């Protein structure tokens, strides 16, 4: 069933447009604007260009989803297959199925919302032209990662996002941005080198880099030892990007230093590339190797769940001087642990749960980073002790809509039934209860129990954050004292504009949600509710594709 019948050639064009348009838009952003389009403010003109390009990509992705045959989500659609480097048998092979389509939509949506938000609230830094170009290159690389069906092209797209994110952190970030950017690039590049070796091993031993052909072969053309080595090499590279404990240490620093839109894209989109690689490459292409490493992957995943939650609890306690952005970053380590646990079960239930948790995390954590950025703009700091000090953030009293939305995002993140965060974690735990044949049931049930304990810890730290930031006495004529602000002078340049101004002594009321903020945040909140109340929209896409993938290409 298709909502609108669109011809195959148009679908091919749409998918190619979605991948290439942001790259062309990035080049156009760096060129001098035509005389008629310069306007009175060239900076605003280039920011408008970013909104226009990302908006066009989002519309094209929505049309692609509308024309997608929802009766056959396991079939690759909108495919393009052109020989590119015959000597290596590398092909420009694009296509989407029920696994990749939701990730394309999430990427296009989040990038558009970030471009829209930046039009009104550009982070302090160098040229807006460079900022817009980097965001568009980042979008193109991410969309290509989810759309390509050739292993070498996947690697190129996977690497394409590193440089833009490095510069977004290093040039537009806050305190310690240079160190955080270097840590990010070094970790991910080292992981990528190992991953490339694994990809080359698979291609050379099987004779092809075509991901569809390799998935259909289901590892029959690769010996078990080759599969084990390939899973170890590729899995390390993917685990760094996910990030999996203990390869996660670059993430909190990167998030803390990154500008708001950088954190949104890093959490909402880039982390998904690692887990997508596990599902698209390792599960179908090297099943025996995955079965060997699945218990270890699950063990690291549940350690990450508990570790991330305990780190958040430590940051949330009084006197810890915990940064709210850093806390949300550590929460991502825990949430991505659930995704890895679902993948490690190698069951349709667990993998569907992992894919659902992927999308839910992108929506909810993207919203959380937007909100924390807004709080930091208003207070000049994201330090929890300062926000919840004697004067109190008291968002319910000072900016009630902002406080209510932060509380909503927090309870969605802790997995409240009826919201998107619930289904992914529940299905992941169900998958761990009954893992795939050949995996130790007692071990995975132990992992399930530890993961369930992690959900309790998540609820604990999220509710502490809500209590400390949203509640508190609304003291008239109160403001943050200079002494309170001093430790955070290194957080980056002062935000400009009305939304970034600190409340004056005679103006205790904070600016509540502005119109442009509501425009950027409302879609994420609405989709969080929709996915929570109607999970079949997403599971109806992913389940047939996952069933086929785990069955070795057989529907």
């Amino acid at each position: 069933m298709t909502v609108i019948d669109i011809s195959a050639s148009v679908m091919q064009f749409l998918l190619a447009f979605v991948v290439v348009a942001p790259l062309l838009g990035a080049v156009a952003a760096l060129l001098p604007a035509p005389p008629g389009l310069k306007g009175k403010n060239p900076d605003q003109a280039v920011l408008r260009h970013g909104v226009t390009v990302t908006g066009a990509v989002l519309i094209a992705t929505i049309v692609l989803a509308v024309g997608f045959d929802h009766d056959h989500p396991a079939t690759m659609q909108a495919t393009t297959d052109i020989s590119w480097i015959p000597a290596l048998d590398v092909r420009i092979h694009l296509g989407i199925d029920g696994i990749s389509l939701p990730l394309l939509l999430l990427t296009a949506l989040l990038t558009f919302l970030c471009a829209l938000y930046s039009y009104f609230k550009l982070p302090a830094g160098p040229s807006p032209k460079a900022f817009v170009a980097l965001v568009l290159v980042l979008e193109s690389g991410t969309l290509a990662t989810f759309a390509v069906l050739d292993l070498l092209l996947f690697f190129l797209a996977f690497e394409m996002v590193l440089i833009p994110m490095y510069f977004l952190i290093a040039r537009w970030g806050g305190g310690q941005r240079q160190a955080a950017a270097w840590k990010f690039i070094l970790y991910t590049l080292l992981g990528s080198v190992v991953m490339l070796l694994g990809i080359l091993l698979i291609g050379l031993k099987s004779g092809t880099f075509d991901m569809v052909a390799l998935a259909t072969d289901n590892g029959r053309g690769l010996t078990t030892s080759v599969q084990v080595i390939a899973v170890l090499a590729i899995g390390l590279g993917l685990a760094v990007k996910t990030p999996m404990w203990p390869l996660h240490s670059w993430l909190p620093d990167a998030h803390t230093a990154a500008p708001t839109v950088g954190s949104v894209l890093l959490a909402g989109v880039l982390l998904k590339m690692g887990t997508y690689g596990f599902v698209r490459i390792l599960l179908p292409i090297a099943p025996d190797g995955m079965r060997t490493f699945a218990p270890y992957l699950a063990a690291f995943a549940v350690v990450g769940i508990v570790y991330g939650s305990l780190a958040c609890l430590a940051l949330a306690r009084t006197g810890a001087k915990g940064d709210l952005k850093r806390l949300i970053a550590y929460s991502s380590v825990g949430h991505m642990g659930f995704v890895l646990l679902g993948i490690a079960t190698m069951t349709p239930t667990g993998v569907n749960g992992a894919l659902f948790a992927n999308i839910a995390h992108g929506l909810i954590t993207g919203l959380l980073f937007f909100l924390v950025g807004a709080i930091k703009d208003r207070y000049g700091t994201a330090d929890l002790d300062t926000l919840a000090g004697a004067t109190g953030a008291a968002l319910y009293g000072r900016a009630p809509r902002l406080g209510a939305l932060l509380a909503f995002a927090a309870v969605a993140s802790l997995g409240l039934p009826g919201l998107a965060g619930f289904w992914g974690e529940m299905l992941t735990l169900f998958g761990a209860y009954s893992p795939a044949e050949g995996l130790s049931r007692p071990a995975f049930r132990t992992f399930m129990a530890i993961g369930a304990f992690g959900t309790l810890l998540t609820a604990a730290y999220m509710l502490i954050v809500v209590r400390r930031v949203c509640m508190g006495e609304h003291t008239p004529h109160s403001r943050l004292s200079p002494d309170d602000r001093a430790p955070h002078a290194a957080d980056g340049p002062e935000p400009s504009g009305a939304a970034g101004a600190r409340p004056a002594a005679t103006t205790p009321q904070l600016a509540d949600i502005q119109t442009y903020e509501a425009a950027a945040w409302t879609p994420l909140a609405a989709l969080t509710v929709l996915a929570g109340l109607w999970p079949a929209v997403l599971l109806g896409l992913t389940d047939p594709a996952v069933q086929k993938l785990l069955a070795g290409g057989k529907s």
Side-chain angles (χ1 to χ4, degrees), residues 165-522:
M165 182 53 71
Y166 167 81
F167 280 111
L168 285 174
I169 296 170
R171 304 302 298 275
W172 284 269
Q176 303 297 315
R177 57 181 181 266
Q178 293 291 345
W182 273 111
K183 199 170 185 180
F184 163 76
I185 200 78
L186 288 175
Y187 265 76
T188 48
L189 276 178
L190 287 172
S192 297
V193 168
V194 181
M195 185 173 80
L196 177 60
L197 295 176
I199 287 174
L200 292 175
L201 177 65
I202 287 177
L204 294 173
K205 291 295 184 181
S206 63
T208 181
F209 291 101
D210 187 274
M211 291 158 68
V212 176
L214 287 166
T216 305
D217 188 60
N218 201 221
R220 286 182 284 271
L222 300 171
T223 63
T224 301
S225 59
V226 168
Q227 290 189 39
V228 168
I229 296 169
V231 169
L232 180 62
I234 297 174
L236 277 173
L238 298 174
V240 170
K241 186 68 74 76
T242 298
M244 180 186 77
W245 180 91
L247 304 173
H248 69 284
S249 61
W250 62 268
L251 183 72
D253 292 339
H255 271 308
T256 305
T260 296
V261 294
S263 290
V264 171
L265 292 173
L266 183 57
V269 174
L270 263 67
L271 303 190
K272 312 299 172 282
M273 295 164 66
T275 52
Y276 174 77
F278 275 104
V279 174
R280 177 65 76 200
I281 299 173
L282 296 185
L283 277 178
I285 295 175
D288 294 337
M290 270 299 290
R291 199 168 286 108
T292 300
F293 283 106
Y296 304 102
L297 179 63
F300 283 124
V302 295
V303 170
I305 292 169
V306 175
Y307 170 83
S309 299
L310 291 176
C312 290
L313 281 170
L315 289 169
R317 65 183 172 83
T318 305
K321 307 298 287 181
D323 186 285
L324 194 49
K325 282 188 77 175
R326 196 172 189 86
L327 185 147
I328 303 302
Y330 271 110
S331 78
S332 290
V333 176
H335 288 305
M336 298 313 287
F338 277 102
V339 178
L340 290 172
L341 177 60
I343 293 168
T345 67
M346 299 184 70
T347 62
T349 303
V351 176
N352 275 305
L355 294 171
F356 199 104
N358 243 353
I359 301 298
H361 178 265
L363 296 171
I364 297 167
T365 308
L367 179 58
L368 277 169
F369 275 117
F370 268 134
L371 293 167
V372 173
I375 292 170
K376 187 171 183 177
D377 286 341
R378 286 157 171 77
Y379 280 94
T381 180
D383 181 87
L384 266 171
D385 285 338
T386 307
L387 292 175
T391 57
L395 284 182
Y396 287 155
R398 307 186 71 183
R401 293 183 184 87
L402 184 60
L405 194 55
L406 178 63
F408 165 82
V411 297
S413 183
L414 64 83
L416 185 74
L419 298 175
F422 171 73
W423 295 105
E425 293 181 4
M426 186 195 73
L427 289 171
T428 292
L429 295 177
F430 278 175
Y433 182 80
S434 183
E437 186 179 347
L439 299 178
S440 168
R441 187 163 291 191
F444 272 83
R445 288 186 178 176
T446 303
F447 299 147
M448 180 196 74
I450 297 171
F453 176 65
T455 63
L456 300 178
L457 296 177
T458 304
Y461 70 74
M462 278 299 179
L463 293 176
I464 289 172
V465 167
V466 171
R467 177 176 60 80
R468 298 192 70 199
V469 177
C470 296
M471 301 178 187
E473 184 181 352
H474 176 33
T475 309
H477 312 301
S478 65
R479 65 173 179 174
L480 298 178
S481 69
D483 291 339
D484 282 333
R485 287 189 221 128
H488 308 285
D491 282 355
E494 277 299 309
S496 59
R502 287 186 177 131
T506 56
T507 314
Q509 199 75 14
L510 287 176
D512 211 334
I513 295 178
Q514 306 295 298
T515 304
Y516 73 92
E517 292 173 329
W521 303 344
T522 302

Side-chain angles (χ1 to χ4, degrees), residues 63-111:
V63 174
L64 199 62
V66 168
F68 187 81
D69 185 355
H70 292 259
D71 284 340
H72 301 92
T75 303
M76 284 294 172
Q77 301 180 33
T79 53
T80 299
D81 192 0
I82 304 169
S83 178
W84 183 35
I85 308 175
L88 296 176
D89 194 28
V90 179
R91 309 183 69 80
I92 298 176
H93 193 180
L94 305 177
I96 52 169
D97 63 357
I99 293 171
S100 51
L101 179 61
L103 290 165
L104 281 179
L105 287 165
L106 177 68
T107 302
L109 174 66
L110 281 176
T111 314

